[in-house]
Amino acid sequence: MASERILMKQGAEAKLYKFSFYGKPCIVKERFKKTYRHPTLDASLTSQRMKSEVRAMLRSRMCGIFTPTVYFVDMVNNSIYMEEVHDSQTVRDYIMNIQKEIPDINLAMTVLEPLGKKIGEILGVMHKNNIIHGDLTSSNMLLKGQPSSFNIVMIDFGLSHFENMPEDKGVDLYVLERALLSTHPNTEKVFQVILDAYCVTNKDGAKEVLNKLEEVRMRGRKRTMVG
Ligand SMILES: Nc1ncnc2c1ncn2[C@@H]1O[C@H](COP(=O)(O)OP(=O)(O)OP(=O)(O)O)[C@@H](O)[C@H]1O
Ligand SMILES: [Mg+2]
């Protein structure tokens, strides 16, 4: 394992390195200490998030959702060693490029519709299996392969949990809606495609979840009005 780690990204909670794990290209996600938190609380939160992340990656895989393979978990150095997803870009970068190339949203929808459908199907399967992601954004989805036959790889499960309450699922979708619309203007139609596909794969639970989503939206609006 004696190869060099190359810093790839510094997030809010973790540093991501490129590394070679016994010859396999890998990503090391190392959560660093937060000095503004009490050390005991910080250690406990870090360990909780690492466990949640690894657990949800495995559970999602068991449901047929692509997530990076976990190679090694180092609880002493707060590091997860995982497969590097090759030839991938974040859904965020993909949508941004499409919107730059095709400014007309109706035209762009021809490309964004299959993407939204795939995302909705994945979220439907995750929720049907009671996996709540906790931080659904377009940066936490990797798009792999050609646009004609792409796959989505879900990442960044540190805030995930297992819960069968429609409320938690509704909030999960709300987080995505807010993230999507604030990162990518005029993507209301894309979110609707996501919801439609979600209803197909999570047929039995979708109605209650969508009711909760509407409730959470209303709470959000009220908060905005009150200031
Ligand atoms: N297994 C992987 N293969 C390829 N790229 C990855 C992988 N894991 C993470 N990345 C890249 O690193 C970025 C950050 O990863 P991740 O979301 O897990 O960390 P984070 O600390 O939550 O970062 P952020 O604060 O940016 O969300 C991803 O958006 C993606 O571009
Ligand atoms: Mg992330």
Side-chain angles (χ1 to χ4, degrees):
M1 262 218 296
S3 81
E4 214 179 302
R5 304 202 306 183
I6 299 161
L7 184 65
M8 185 180 96
K9 222 160 228 174
Q10 158 111 46
E13 300 236 328
K15 284 182 178 162
L16 283 103
Y17 299 91
K18 280 191 188 233
F19 189 57
S20 167
F21 188 77
Y22 294 106
K24 282 184 190 294
C26 97
I27 298 283
V28 183
K29 181 168 179 176
E30 182 183 71
R31 290 179 190 274
F32 45 78
K33 288 194 172 61
K34 293 287 192 66
T35 45
Y36 61 79
R37 271 194 211 130
H38 186 279
T40 316
L41 173 69
D42 186 56
S44 150
L45 275 178
T46 300
S47 130
Q48 242 176 54
R49 290 195 176 149
M50 280 183 67
K51 287 178 192 163
S52 301
E53 181 146 29
V54 172
R55 221 178 266 145
M57 282 209 262
L58 289 176
R59 283 217 196 177
S60 299
R61 283 191 138 228
M62 288 193 276
C63 310
I65 289 152
F66 295 114
T67 60
T69 306
V70 175
Y71 293 149
F72 180 59
V73 182
D74 179 349
M75 291 303 287
V76 175
N77 297 306
N78 303 319
S79 300
I80 300 173
Y81 292 62
M82 67 182 104
E83 168 195 2
E84 178 183 358
V85 182
H86 279 299
D87 300 325
S88 66
Q89 57 180 320
T90 60
V91 165
R92 177 180 191 271
D93 289 348
Y94 180 73
I95 298 180
M96 281 186 166
N97 282 333
I98 295 292
Q99 290 199 320
K100 208 159 44 175
E101 279 169 32
I102 318 175
D104 182 308
I105 185 65
N106 291 320
L107 273 180
M109 274 315 283
T110 54
V111 187
L112 296 179
E113 195 166 334
L115 175 72
K117 187 162 180 274
K118 188 85 124 204
I119 294 172
E121 284 167 3
I122 291 172
L123 300 184
V125 174
M126 280 177 51
H127 282 184
K128 202 162 89 178
N129 289 281
N130 301 325
I131 303 169
I132 313 293
H133 184 282
D135 190 16
L136 288 173
T137 66
S138 55
S139 302
N140 290 337
M141 301 170 189
L142 301 179
L143 197 140
K144 184 176 160 64
Q146 298 305 312
S148 56
S149 61
F150 63 87
N151 278 313
I152 303 275
V153 182
M154 301 297 292
I155 59 166
D156 204 0
F157 283 89
L159 295 175
S160 68
H161 62 284
F162 303 100
E163 180 59 70
N164 66 3
M165 298 294 284
E167 167 94 22
D168 294 57
K169 296 174 187 178
V171 170
D172 219 20
L173 294 179
Y174 182 67
V175 167
L176 176 63
E177 181 177 37
R178 302 297 302 175
L180 198 71
L181 297 185
S182 62
T183 316
H184 313 285
N186 307 317
T187 45
E188 287 82 358
K189 279 189 181 166
V190 182
F191 189 68
Q192 192 53 52
V193 173
I194 294 177
L195 288 185
D196 292 345
Y198 176 91
C199 292
V200 177
T201 43
N202 185 19
K203 205 163 73 207
D204 296 333
K207 194 161 175 263
E208 273 185 291
V209 176
L210 294 196
N211 286 342
K212 283 292 170 189
L213 169 63
E214 195 45 48
E215 253 182 64
V216 182
R217 276 171 172 163
M218 268 162 36
R219 265 184 253 154
R221 269 181 226 129
K222 216 185 256 171
R223 247 198 323 269
T224 318
M225 276 183 342
V226 173

